[in-house]
Amino acid sequence: MSTPRAGTTTSASATSPTQHNDADTQFAQMMIVHHQGAIEMGKLATSKGSTPDVRALGQRIVAAQGPEIELMSGWLAQWGAPMPAVSDHSAMPGMEVGGMSQSSATDQLAGSSGTAFDRQFLTLMISHHEGALQMAASEQAQGQNADARKLAAVITTSQTAEIEQMRAMLATLGTA
């Protein structure tokens, strides 16, 4: 899943115009923070996942979202907008994970192991991706920058597919 994303974000970075609005800036700032949280959770999955599928998913999330952070950081620099701090957007729609703050969710996940870790990771990452879908929908509806809108569409497509994959993975784990 990271291959389509990487190709799309690379082509988007080559043609990034400076025309943007506040929705574009907010999208980039919020999504950077959001992606940073996903990378933290993904790294935990690569080291603590009890199944090869969970470890591989964690690796794909880290590999896909790192370049997107770099892309959006470049936009913010080009637009003269500040890089976000985690606290800047923690109360915004889409920033909660399973009803918790990102740091609480990550802390809780770090304390899990085995199948319980896998189940919790998948459940939290589904919630996390659903938050990203909210932000992407807002960008597509209100954003002006063509490249930011394209990235929002890529995020929608790739993370919707990952949600479906994670739901299937959860089903194979069964209940504890």
Side-chain angles (χ1 to χ4, degrees):
M1 284 181 210
S2 62
T3 303
R5 260 184 171 175
T8 302
T9 57
T10 301
S11 64
S13 64
T15 60
S16 182
T18 58
Q19 187 176 14
H20 69 285
N21 62 14
D22 289 343
D24 298 314
T25 301
Q26 185 177 32
F27 169 72
Q29 290 171 330
M30 288 177 55
M31 195 60 77
I32 286 170
V33 173
H34 201 262
H35 276 14
Q36 288 167 338
I39 288 172
E40 287 178 44
M41 292 170 59
K43 286 180 179 178
L44 284 173
T46 63
S47 64
K48 297 186 71 161
S50 71
T51 65
D53 287 344
V54 169
R55 290 189 300 273
L57 176 62
Q59 290 170 345
R60 283 193 306 273
I61 289 168
V62 170
Q65 295 192 17
E68 290 177 357
I69 289 172
E70 290 178 26
L71 176 64
M72 292 180 286
S73 297
W75 293 341
L76 292 175
Q78 186 178 23
W79 300 338
M83 286 295 295
V86 173
S87 61
D88 287 347
H89 303 288
S90 60
M92 298 298 291
M95 296 301 277
E96 287 189 349
V97 182
M100 297 178 274
S101 70
Q102 178 65 55
S103 62
S104 295
T106 303
D107 290 346
Q108 188 179 79
L109 188 59
S112 297
S113 62
T115 303
F117 173 88
D118 292 354
R119 189 174 292 106
Q120 187 172 25
F121 169 74
L122 294 168
T123 302
L124 290 173
M125 192 55 75
I126 288 168
S127 173
H128 198 270
H129 276 19
E130 288 170 344
L133 295 179
Q134 285 181 306
M135 288 185 262
S138 179
E139 170 59 20
Q140 288 180 308
Q142 300 171 7
Q144 180 181 19
N145 182 273
D147 290 336
R149 290 170 51 95
K150 286 178 197 171
L151 179 59
V154 168
I155 288 169
T156 298
T157 300
S158 63
Q159 292 198 12
T160 297
E162 285 179 353
I163 288 170
E164 291 173 18
Q165 177 188 18
M166 289 184 285
R167 287 185 175 141
M169 291 167 72
L170 269 173
T172 63
L173 289 175
T175 56

